[in-house]
Amino acid sequence: MQINLYSAQTLRQATKEVIKNVEVSQNLDLRNFIVVPDRFSLQAEKLLFQELGISSTFNIDVISISKLASLVLKLSGNEFKTQSNLEGMLLVYKILIEHQAEFESLKDANLSIDLAKEIFLTISQLKSCEISADKFLKSANELANQKLIDIAKIYSFYECSEREKIDAADLITLFAQQIEESELIKNSNFYFAEFDSFTSQARTIIQLLVKCSRSVSIATCSTTGENEYIYEQDVLQKVAQICENLKIKPNIIICEKNQNEFQKHIADNLFAFKQTLKNIPYGAAILNNSNITSEIEQIANIIKFEILQNGYNFSDFNIFVPSLQSYQKQISEIFSSEDIACYIDATKTLLDLAPIKFILKVFDFLKDENILNFLAL
């Protein structure tokens, strides 16, 4: 049994270190699985080829926990169909309509598919935390909270319903039952990356993988000082529980901080309450331009210079603008004329970033609150 814990200042740095230590081999009987949340799969695949310097691989897979579960269960001969979130949501909606008279807080409520969605997500979260319907109903009755009691009843109806397909939580439960018998698991290394927390089900899976696989490696953050509050300690706590249960000690690898002075300064102060000032001799530049057109032309010239002189690729550059509506026309025309390939993502703005949302909330609060009272808090 072996569990390796790669600790770095950021999750991305820890992920890179984990990938660098993937056991590359031409032995096709040996499998390596880089396990990431679904939303990071494409980024992890890109990092895999960049960090290992390979162009192809036959025994390294980037996969989510649910897809790993499906793979193992199918290889074990289990026949099943998975339930989509939409199907689960519609099932909850059906339960709401059929049993509305049995509820207290929802008896006279205006039932909608949005309400069903929120309740289904709650049920999914409870199942991933290994909280059964009976246990939740017992707790709700003890609290005498009618809303919780109604949700617990819906949860019970959901679990008792005749479903032809299994939901995501049931899939993980079945996976846990098959791990000890799986030959694939026994001949594989597992690398968990980009997780800032683990559910109870995920902890159970990792504990079984540590027992049954060749090795398990986990990327985590160990921020200290001003940035200590950014990342939760959930991953570290779950790993500590696993090691205690298995009576083993983790192999902790502290990743070297290979950032330059500019990157380190940003990492240390990005979310800090008390920022430190530092003169950065390189890595940043402020350029003055009279209008948007000259600004984009200058950026285009910089990109062309870096590609021709320093070997960069188009994908190495990211451009942030205050308003796509104002900049999109110039970017498209100028980059096209300069033969610069680009993709303009109109779906995400700076206003979508959590720090910006927080700042705007503070400003909204200050509109209606005496600023002296606010500063006195």
Side-chain angles (χ1 to χ4, degrees), residues 131-159:
I131 300 173
S132 67
D134 291 339
K135 184 177 180 180
F136 185 59
L137 181 58
K138 181 180 178 181
S139 299
N141 285 324
E142 290 174 355
L143 293 171
N145 186 308
Q146 289 300 330
K147 289 183 179 179
L148 289 180
I149 292 173
D150 283 348
I151 293 173
K153 288 180 179 178
I154 297 167
Y155 185 6
S156 297
F157 287 132
Y158 176 84
E159 290 290 80

Side-chain angles (χ1 to χ4, degrees), residues 155-313:
Y155 185 6
S156 297
F157 287 132
Y158 176 84
E159 290 290 80
C160 294
S161 62
E162 295 182 1
R163 288 178 285 146
E164 296 181 357
K165 300 179 180 181
I166 61 173
D167 61 23
D170 290 335
L171 177 68
I172 302 302
T173 300
L174 289 175
F175 175 39
Q177 296 169 0
Q178 292 291 330
I179 286 179
E180 293 182 339
E181 305 298 326
S182 172
E183 290 299 321
L184 175 66
I185 298 295
K186 294 175 184 177
N187 296 318
S188 299
N189 298 306
F190 294 90
Y191 305 85
F192 287 80
E194 295 294 338
F195 287 94
D196 54 12
S197 64
F198 288 130
T199 64
S200 297
Q201 279 192 316
R203 180 196 60 197
T204 301
I205 294 299
I206 293 172
Q207 182 167 314
L208 288 167
L209 291 177
V210 172
K211 286 177 59 178
C212 303
S213 69
R214 297 180 79 251
S215 71
V216 173
S217 299
I218 300 174
T220 186
C221 281
S222 58
T223 54
T224 56
E226 293 291 345
N227 285 345
E228 189 172 5
Y229 69 96
I230 299 173
Y231 295 103
E232 296 181 26
Q233 299 299 305
D234 184 78
V235 170
L236 294 173
Q237 291 169 359
K238 293 290 194 330
V239 170
Q241 292 171 7
I242 291 169
C243 292
E244 183 179 350
N245 293 339
L246 297 177
K247 294 180 172 55
I248 61 173
K249 290 184 178 181
N251 178 30
I252 301 176
I253 300 97
I254 305 298
C255 305
E256 295 183 7
K257 298 180 180 179
N258 54 1
Q259 302 163 316
N260 61 41
E261 287 295 314
F262 181 57
Q263 293 170 324
K264 183 177 182 302
H265 180 68
I266 291 178
D268 289 341
N269 290 274
L270 185 58
F271 298 107
F273 288 114
K274 298 178 181 178
Q275 286 83 14
T276 59
L277 299 177
K278 186 176 182 66
N279 293 322
I280 304 297
Y282 59 89
I286 298 175
L287 307 173
N288 293 319
N289 292 277
S290 57
N291 54 58
I292 293 177
T293 300
S294 62
E295 183 180 5
I296 301 304
E297 287 175 344
Q298 188 170 17
I299 291 174
N301 289 333
I302 292 172
I303 292 173
K304 290 177 66 177
F305 174 83
E306 294 293 344
I307 289 173
L308 293 172
Q309 297 295 321
N310 298 319
Y312 285 94
N313 298 315

Side-chain angles (χ1 to χ4, degrees), residues 117-135:
K117 176 184 177 181
E118 294 302 321
I119 295 176
F120 172 70
L121 292 175
T122 300
I123 291 172
S124 299
Q125 189 64 36
L126 288 168
K127 294 184 73 170
S128 69
C129 293
E130 299 180 335
I131 300 173
S132 67
D134 291 339
K135 184 177 180 180

Side-chain angles (χ1 to χ4, degrees), residues 91-107:
L91 176 57
V92 171
Y93 187 52
K94 179 183 176 184
I95 292 170
L96 285 170
I97 293 173
E98 292 179 350
H99 298 275
Q100 185 172 15
E102 302 173 42
F103 304 135
E104 292 296 330
S105 62
L106 298 174
K107 185 180 295 183

Side-chain angles (χ1 to χ4, degrees), residues 295-351:
E295 183 180 5
I296 301 304
E297 287 175 344
Q298 188 170 17
I299 291 174
N301 289 333
I302 292 172
I303 292 173
K304 290 177 66 177
F305 174 83
E306 294 293 344
I307 289 173
L308 293 172
Q309 297 295 321
N310 298 319
Y312 285 94
N313 298 315
F314 288 133
S315 59
D316 295 323
F317 297 91
N318 293 287
I319 300 172
F320 298 91
V321 296
S323 169
L324 269 180
Q325 187 175 3
S326 303
Y327 279 78
Q328 187 168 357
K329 183 175 181 291
Q330 285 88 342
I331 292 174
S332 299
E333 292 178 353
I334 294 171
F335 278 33
S336 177
S337 66
E338 297 290 343
D339 294 324
I340 297 175
C342 69
Y343 168 69
I344 299 176
D345 188 355
T347 62
K348 192 166 186 177
T349 68
L350 288 176
L351 292 177

